[in-house]
Amino acid sequence: MAMEVKEMLFMNTGDGENSYVKNAAYTPRIAAVTQAILYNTVQSFIRENCSSQFEIPKVTSEGGLPLNKGKIYISKTSLPAVIKAYLTQFQEDFISFLKCRSLEMVSNGRMVLIIHGRESEDPTTDRDHNYIWEVLGNAISCMVSQGLIDEEKLDTFNIPYYIALKDEVEDLVKKEGSFTTEFIDLIAINILDMTPESKAKTIRSFTESIISTQFGEEIMDKLYDKVTEIIVEDSKLGKEVTKRVSNVVVLKKIK
């Protein structure tokens, strides 16, 4: 029986060395930067005196052959069909999310969303976020070459994650029709002060659950050791990622 995404897509629990709690460096930074936006949203709501699941993209051809062979995410070598599959899945899931949330909210209620975003029109060139999956994919490919992972498991696996443009988010809000966009902007968080080792631990803290489900828990230490090795080497070569970008969105429920 196929495993539900909700059963394998979660942050590492507990407070151990590889837990999300110990390694979530980006989350408190984005929370601090967006605190004023959240405060202003609450104040706006008060002034008006109101009362008060992403699926894994299917990127196989009709004949069953993988279209994203050797990769786990959108890349420069991905076919247009792969990018279309990711975008289509995101559109369906985001509209479904908005519909569900609108049922829970009163008229004129506000919702603040912080969603990873990209600056480039072409999703294959957005290195700020793609880098994570590029490194993981390269580490997994290394495990394949060593005979530790079956190549078919790599070729049939695609990370259920899409990085949206600001315009894509706005268009979907308008299309769904339950909300108006009060505020939307891109916010970049500098991560240059993080060491390669801490970046690798952060990646492990939120990717290990889904990666281990596909490739097996027994190779996780070796896999993430390889991830660390790649990031360290990239840092030495000046190829490290310097920032993470997010869409910050304030939505108002239409009466």
Side-chain angles (χ1 to χ4, degrees), residues 151-179:
E151 187 174 9
E152 185 181 3
K153 286 190 174 183
L154 169 58
D155 291 341
T156 57
F157 180 68
N158 294 282
I159 286 289
Y161 176 87
Y162 180 78
I163 307 157
L165 279 172
K166 185 173 67 171
D167 289 348
E168 289 174 339
V169 174
E170 284 191 281
D171 289 345
L172 289 174
V173 171
K174 290 178 183 176
K175 182 178 180 180
E176 193 278 326
S178 297
F179 300 90

Side-chain angles (χ1 to χ4, degrees), residues 109-123:
R110 306 301 201 279
M111 176 165 61
V112 179
L113 302 177
I114 301 172
I115 313 166
H116 283 163
R118 71 176 197 268
E119 297 173 300
S120 57
E121 288 287 334
D122 184 353

